Amino acid sequence: MIPNVLTVAGSDSGGGAGIQADLKTMLALGVHGMSVVTAVTAQNSLGVQGAWELPVEAVRAQYRSVVDDIGVQAVKTGMLASAELVEAVADLIAGTDAPAVVDPVGVSKHGDALLAASALDSVRSKLLPVATVATPNLDEVAQITGLRVESEREMRPAAAAVLEYGPRWVLIKGGHLPGDAVDLLTDGSEEHWLRAPRHDNRHTHGTGCTLASAIASGLAKGRSVPEAVAAAKEYVTGAVAAGFALGGGIGPVDHGWRFRGDV
């Protein structure tokens, strides 16, 4: 049986992030990807030109349609936009017997807001407590906790601050720091530092979506959280190295890098 993984996220019309990146990642990693669209964006390599969230009833209906018939072995969340959507999705995940990877998307690669400020309390009180793994980058850590991480040593207290909101594990992504790309995975007692060389490639659109989807794919296959995160880190590092120009701005990572003979 091929494991089923459900992404609950926004659509990126440029194909580099969001639902599109999630499904490409799932295909590349050998699981069956399914989707609940929470918002539609007009988006390209230059930024987000518009975003329209779907009604809560539409999101709930998509989720129930997939889970009640097909079933899921893991769920991944991305752009949820509003407090109403955050709370509805959190309730759905709480009633689903599957691990959940929560990517608390706050802003796009270009700095465009993808989460209403009023939704932050709902992320803290409703969504993070149902997460098996939360995967904030440093900007999202600052949004959620108020802590600014400017060095590797500050990642540990940042992780502790996020864990206070209830996820079982947190992966603090240190990609915005200088030097090697270092991430910290911890459940509060066990720590795993994941390092990878930084590639001189600005085409990194969709990195966070891709990593979270790769983790969910690993969990759906029955891997432990540390195993799933390590494998996802390896996959996304290769995808970043192979990222390519698209349009006039920041291009996407290459989700199919393992299938190409020249990489």
Side-chain angles (χ1 to χ4, degrees):
M1 292 290 291
I2 299 176
N4 301 317
V5 183
L6 178 62
T7 170
V8 184
S11 168
D12 172 3
S13 55
I19 289 282
Q20 288 81 355
D22 297 338
L23 295 177
K24 292 174 186 178
T25 299
M26 293 168 191
L27 178 63
L29 296 180
V31 300
H32 176 63
M34 306 175 295
S35 62
V36 171
V37 180
T38 61
V40 175
T41 69
Q43 188 172 169
N44 56 27
S45 69
L46 300 174
V48 179
Q49 291 78 47
W52 301 266
E53 66 183 76
L54 269 67
V56 170
E57 310 85 72
V59 171
R60 188 179 290 114
Q62 291 176 82
Y63 191 101
R64 289 264 60 94
S65 178
V66 170
V67 173
D68 294 347
D69 173 48
I70 300 171
V72 294
Q73 280 69 60
V75 179
K76 175 262 176 186
T77 71
M79 177 185 177
L80 298 180
S82 68
E84 292 77 15
L85 283 177
V86 169
E87 293 176 12
V89 170
D91 287 343
L92 289 165
I93 290 174
T96 304
D97 185 19
V101 180
V102 169
D103 187 16
V105 176
V107 296
S108 75
K109 180 70 67 179
H110 305 87
D112 303 291
L114 299 177
L115 180 73
S118 59
L120 276 172
D121 282 342
S122 298
V123 169
R124 298 183 188 105
S125 63
K126 300 289 187 181
L127 189 60
L128 290 177
V130 300
T132 306
V133 189
T135 63
N137 63 29
L138 300 188
D139 289 336
E140 291 153 358
V141 166
Q143 277 189 311
I144 293 166
T145 69
L147 296 178
R148 290 279 175 190
V149 176
E150 297 178 345
S151 67
E152 187 176 313
R153 65 181 178 78
E154 294 175 331
M155 293 174 71
R156 185 176 284 119
V162 176
L163 284 171
E164 288 184 4
Y165 292 108
R168 284 174 49 200
W169 292 81
V170 62
L171 179 67
I172 303 294
K173 300 181 295 190
H176 293 170
L177 295 176
D180 286 349
V182 57
D183 304 328
L184 170 60
L185 172 70
T186 181
D187 63 354
S189 58
E190 190 177 325
E191 274 190 3
H192 301 267
W193 291 88
L194 299 99
R195 299 179 185 277
R198 184 176 300 279
H199 295 284
D200 185 18
N201 185 2
R202 72 188 186 94
H203 300 299
T204 56
H205 185 49
T207 309
C209 305
T210 300
L211 180 64
S213 294
I215 295 170
S217 298
L219 295 177
K221 293 177 178 178
R223 290 175 173 163
S224 68
V225 169
E227 290 170 341
V229 171
K233 174 80 168 179
E234 180 184 2
Y235 170 72
V236 80
T237 298
V240 168
F244 56 92
L246 193 73
I250 299 173
V253 301
D254 185 358
H255 300 94
W257 66 273
R258 283 179 171 165
F259 307 132
R260 309 196 196 285
D262 58 345
V263 177

